[in-house]
Amino acid sequence: MLSPITNPVLIFAIAMVIFLIAPLIMRRLRIPGIIGLIFAGVIVGPNGLGILDRDPTIVLLGTVGLLYIIFIAGLEIDLDGFKKYRGRSLTFGLLSFNLPFLLGIGATYFYGYPLAAAILLGSLLGSHTLLAYPIASRLGISKNKAVTTSVGGSIMTDTLALLVLAVVAGSTQGAISVDFWFTLILSMAIYVAAIFLIVPIVTKFFFRTLSSEGALEYVFVMAVLFVSAYFATVAGLEPIIGAFLAGLALNRFIFEQSPLMNRIKFIGNALFIPFFLLSVGMLMDLRVLISEPSAWITASLVIILVIIGKYVAAWITGKIYKYTKEEVNLIFGLTLPQAAATLAATLVGFDLGLFDQATVNAVIVMILVTCMIGPYLVEKNARSIVLQEEQMPYEPSSAPLRVMVPIANPDTMESLMDLAFIIRGQSSESLYTLSVAQGAVEDSSSKIVEAEKLLGHAVTYAAGAEVPIHMLTRVDPNITTGMIRAMEETRITTAVIGWNGKLSTPQKIFGGILDQLLERTSQMVLVSKLGHPLNTTKRIVIIIPAGFDHKLGFYEPIRVAKKMANQLGATISVYVIKDETLVYKKGFQKVKPDAQVTLTKLENWNEWHQKHMPLLKVDDVVLVFSARRGTVAWHPQLERLPRVLANANPKSFIMMYPQEEQKVDLRGTRGMEVPKTFLSNKSYD
């Protein structure tokens, strides 16, 4: 075993490298990044390779991260949603906490744990962390009654778990007596009243009179967080209760989409929370799991107890409120993962001497297992719920159509402009052309001159078609950021972008720039590789994945395809993969202009690749109705398809990504976009 590193700069450098690499590795393995950071702590910690010690620096930053997690949980709770479904949320919250809590107490006390330890262990089983909530949000079911019930119930479970923690922590300092309960209840009442009376008053005063810049606002929020956490200890409570109450008190003052909330989450997710997860991993001792079979027995016991308790709670709630099987499984998947409150209670129990090393290891194993099962269940059942809902009605867009063409390669400029002319049609809006020069601000003058020269040919070409042009130039160190900034500033609705068919890395769909653009935008994006002039096209071959009819932007790709066919005098051949064709037939009939359309249903992707793709002709254009990763209708084949089409005949294809309701949110669940059973590399199914 190596000697622990003591140089503070090197310690911080190693931690930053871990925070960078661990989530990337987990993404490749399709496992939430939170687990990678815990694993990293196990490997580099004192019970692993011994590279880092769990010294006061790690403990300090880990404690800050712990408070940060609980604080953000309080900030993010939807108080209005809780009020709307408070009856269901209260019912489910009580069931979701009490069933695992009582099961945990009974089983662990019978197993040999002291009563205080059994109660604390039962309480951490009753809590849960909404780790998979971003999955439900990006699939568009955040307002579903099952999701709202789960989110509202989390208020109950977290509050009750933290309350039990306060009682257990206080009881370890002396016998529980009437004086203990009187002091605890009185101090809690005074403390809670002070938080919810003083914090809002001070916050209103600050934001109205003193707030002038982002940094000052952030410092104020941090002051509220840590002062509240400290005075919780004065009241005889745990600091995490103060952090949770501070988040609730500030909930209505910090909007979800505000720059301040973005700063809070950014700093927490990038720095403090990873330190907390790293410090938790350092507590785990694999030698204990190997040498003590009791640790595995405890781990198996708590995993079984939490699964039974959470599922039964979801099942009973579903029976009472007549939820479908998919909604019951969705509630179960949302409330199964154990992370924030569980880790908090485990650390407190360890510090108080209630939990030994074997128990800590068992709880960490439970966290790893539940954090992998939960997102999988949510992904699978959320997709089923979305596809069972009614299709979006056809409503022609009233927003002005604004088409943008980023110009980077003069050789492909004309083909991209031709495609943009067709999509724009007779719109009164100008066609926006963009050139982003990669560089620093100090080089802006020369870079802008170069960018404008690149756009000169585009202006001349558009003038020949009598299409008005609005030139955009941006200088940005990151090309993707420059493109996104231009799209937001000019309210672009559709972007037409070229692709050369080459990958910067094998893990990407198109390459770093385009992949980032798709991930960070919600507008319609057409990624095209045109190997022949569009005006020689005789047929447009459209590939549609299952579930595409349930996307918000379902009709716009149909409009573009029919407009292309109408302008080019081409026919349309539609291939629907593993879905019914009737709804797509109706969709093509609703949307103008008219075009000759034939629809064919394919049973799987394999049928397309082996039977129909070899029959493509040189004057065909393949148009793929695609989907951003993690959204409805996404399938792994949609990411492999560009590489396949780039090396097939014809050389012309367009990947069309329709408008999304909001930017895709993949927090905490990178790589968990579809159930793993869909990810076979041996077939195209």
Side-chain angles (χ1 to χ4, degrees):
M1 183 179 294
L2 301 174
S3 298
I5 293 172
T6 57
N7 186 307
V9 176
L10 186 54
I11 291 174
F12 207 82
I14 292 173
M16 291 298 104
V17 172
I18 290 173
F19 300 163
L20 175 66
I21 295 177
L24 296 176
I25 296 175
M26 292 299 103
R27 186 190 309 177
R28 294 289 304 275
L29 299 176
R30 300 186 178 275
I31 298 174
I34 180 177
I35 296 176
L37 294 172
I38 296 175
F39 271 137
V42 175
I43 295 170
V44 304
N47 300 315
L49 298 177
I51 298 174
L52 297 180
D53 195 8
R54 198 170 184 270
D55 59 12
T57 302
I58 299 292
V59 172
L60 170 63
L61 294 173
T63 303
V64 172
L66 168 61
L67 297 178
Y68 223 99
I69 289 178
I70 303 297
F71 175 66
I72 291 178
L75 281 181
E76 287 192 321
I77 284 178
D78 183 2
L79 297 179
D80 292 329
F82 175 71
K83 289 179 180 178
K84 183 178 180 181
Y85 290 99
R86 57 181 175 270
R88 299 182 182 191
S89 297
L90 286 171
T91 300
F92 171 70
L94 289 172
L95 287 170
S96 185
F97 176 79
N98 285 316
L99 287 177
F101 176 55
L102 295 175
L103 284 173
I105 292 176
T108 54
Y109 184 71
F110 178 78
Y111 184 62
Y113 277 84
L115 181 60
I119 292 174
L120 185 57
L121 198 52
S123 71
L124 64 86
L125 296 181
S127 67
H128 62 257
T129 300
L130 295 172
L131 179 74
Y133 174 78
I135 298 177
S137 177
R138 62 176 158 80
L139 286 174
I141 61 168
S142 59
K143 303 299 182 183
N144 181 277
K145 56 184 180 294
V147 177
T148 307
T149 300
S150 302
V151 174
S154 68
I155 298 178
M156 289 294 301
T157 59
D158 289 350
T159 302
L160 290 172
L162 295 176
L163 181 60
V164 171
L165 175 61
V167 173
V168 172
S171 68
T172 58
Q173 300 174 5
I176 297 180
S177 61
V178 176
D179 291 340
F180 168 80
W181 285 108
F182 178 77
T183 304
L184 177 64
I185 293 172
L186 181 62
S187 61
M188 283 183 60
I190 295 174
Y191 174 72
V192 172
I195 288 290
F196 287 109
L197 288 176
I198 297 175
V199 170
I201 294 174
V202 174
T203 303
K204 284 181 182 179
F205 174 77
F206 174 81
F207 282 117
R208 285 177 180 174
T209 61
L210 300 178
S211 175
S212 60
E213 57 181 84
L216 194 62
E217 290 178 348
Y218 179 79
V219 172
F220 170 77
V221 171
M222 291 299 99
V224 171
L225 163 59
F226 292 103
V227 169
S228 301
Y230 170 73
F231 276 101
T233 62
V234 175
L237 307 174
E238 286 299 312
I240 56 176
I241 297 178
F244 185 67
L245 294 178
L248 289 177
L250 292 173
N251 187 286
R252 294 199 177 278
F253 297 97
I254 303 176
F255 303 115
E256 177 64 28
Q257 304 300 327
S258 66
L260 178 56
M261 178 67 91
N262 183 59
R263 292 186 186 100
I264 293 170
K265 290 182 178 179
F266 175 81
I267 296 175
N269 293 331
L271 187 62
F272 295 127
I273 294 176
F275 264 112
F276 168 62
L277 299 172
L278 189 70
S279 68
V280 169
M282 290 180 176
L283 290 174
M284 189 171 184
D285 190 347
L286 294 176
R287 292 169 296 184
V288 174
L289 288 175
I290 297 172
S291 61
E292 295 186 21
S294 61
W296 285 108
I297 296 174
T298 305
S300 302
L301 179 64
V302 294
I303 290 171
I304 292 171
L305 291 174
V306 74
I307 289 176
I308 292 175
K310 293 298 183 182
Y311 182 78
V312 173
W315 182 80
I316 294 175
T317 304
K319 287 294 183 182
I320 295 174
Y321 298 107
K322 295 180 172 57
Y323 289 170
T324 65
K325 178 182 177 182
E326 288 77 13
E327 288 173 332
V328 170
N329 290 334
L330 179 64
I331 294 174
F332 174 53
L334 282 170
T335 57
L336 178 62
Q338 306 288 304
T342 305
L343 289 172
T346 303
L347 279 183
V348 173
F350 182 75
D351 292 338
L352 294 174
L354 295 174
F355 294 159
D356 56 12
Q357 190 69 55
T359 303
V360 173
N361 286 355
V363 172
I364 293 175
V365 170
M366 178 195 68
I367 291 170
L368 298 177
V369 172
T370 57
C371 286
M372 287 190 285
I373 296 176
Y376 170 83
L377 291 173
V378 172
E379 182 75 38
K380 181 179 180 180
N381 290 282
R383 287 178 177 274
S384 299
I385 292 171
V386 170
L387 296 178
Q388 288 171 6
E389 294 177 350
E390 293 186 3
Q391 180 196 5
M392 294 271 186
Y394 175 53
E395 296 179 0
S397 176
S398 58
L401 176 64
R402 291 189 176 180
V403 182
M404 184 183 80
V405 183
I407 305 294
N409 185 356
D411 296 334
T412 60
M413 183 271 298
E414 293 186 3
S415 61
L416 289 178
M417 297 283 285
D418 289 339
L419 179 58
F421 294 160
I422 294 174
I423 296 172
R424 175 184 172 276
Q426 300 300 317
S427 173
S428 59
E429 296 285 334
S430 299
L431 177 66
Y432 289 77
T433 56
L434 170 69
S435 179
V436 179
Q438 191 170 17
V441 176
E442 54 268 20
D443 302 327
S444 59
S445 299
S446 60
K447 295 290 184 181
I448 290 175
V449 171
E450 294 176 9
E452 290 179 344
K453 287 181 180 179
L454 187 61
L455 295 176
H457 189 191
V459 174
T460 304
Y461 189 76
E466 297 184 349
V467 174
I469 288 288
H470 188 113
M471 291 196 306
L472 302 173
T473 55
R474 296 290 185 274
V475 178
D476 200 291
N478 185 293
I479 294 178
T480 306
T481 303
M483 294 170 64
I484 294 172
R485 185 158 52 91
M487 292 173 69
E488 291 176 346
E489 290 172 355
T490 54
R491 291 176 294 158
I492 296 299
T493 60
T494 305
V496 180
I497 303 173
W499 182 52
N500 60 10
K502 299 178 181 179
L503 293 174
S504 58
T505 63
Q507 289 75 34
K508 299 292 185 180
I509 310 173
F510 302 105
I513 294 175
L514 290 182
D515 286 3
Q516 290 179 48
L517 183 72
L518 290 173
E519 184 177 309
R520 296 166 59 187
T521 59
S522 58
Q523 295 94 329
M524 184 172 179
V525 176
L526 284 76
V527 181
S528 60
K529 183 179 182 299
L530 301 176
H532 71 269
L534 276 176
N535 56 8
T536 64
T537 302
K538 294 184 179 180
R539 185 177 66 148
I540 298 174
V541 178
I542 301 177
I543 304 173
I544 305 180
F548 192 86
D549 58 310
H550 283 73
K551 294 190 74 65
L552 171 69
F554 168 57
Y555 291 101
E556 186 60 18
I558 296 177
R559 185 192 69 81
V560 171
K562 294 190 73 174
K563 184 180 285 188
M564 288 178 61
N566 184 268
Q567 291 286 319
L568 301 173
T571 60
I572 296 178
S573 297
V574 181
Y575 294 92
V576 181
I577 314 290
K578 301 175 68 174
D579 210 348
E580 297 301 323
T581 59
L582 181 60
V583 66
Y584 297 101
K585 182 178 180 181
K586 291 180 179 179
F588 276 89
Q589 289 174 346
K590 289 179 182 178
V591 179
K592 300 297 180 182
D594 294 328
Q596 182 181 338
V597 181
T598 59
L599 286 92
T600 304
K601 178 181 178 180
L602 305 183
E603 295 301 324
N604 51 53
W605 285 92
N606 210 34
E607 187 176 351
W608 158 257
H609 284 280
Q610 295 184 358
K611 183 177 179 181
H612 296 281
M613 195 171 75
L615 300 179
L616 294 174
K617 300 176 181 178
V618 293
D619 50 10
D620 290 342
V621 170
V622 178
L623 184 57
V624 182
F625 287 11
S626 192
R628 287 171 168 87
R629 175 180 289 199
T631 61
V632 178
W634 182 84
H635 190 280
Q637 282 298 324
L638 294 173
E639 297 196 356
R640 301 178 184 134
L641 205 54
R643 285 170 256 176
V644 175
L645 293 174
N647 296 301
N649 284 318
K651 298 293 185 181
S652 296
F653 65 91
I654 302 170
M655 302 293 295
M656 187 179 298
Y657 298 85
Q659 175 192 357
E660 299 291 343
E661 186 172 1
Q662 57 187 359
K663 294 183 179 67
V664 179
D665 189 351
L666 297 171
R667 288 180 297 159
T669 53
R670 286 279 192 191
M672 297 297 291
E673 292 80 10
V674 295
K676 295 180 184 178
T677 52
F678 293 172
L679 298 176
S680 171
N681 290 323
K682 297 181 180 179
S683 72
Y684 292 107
D685 293 353

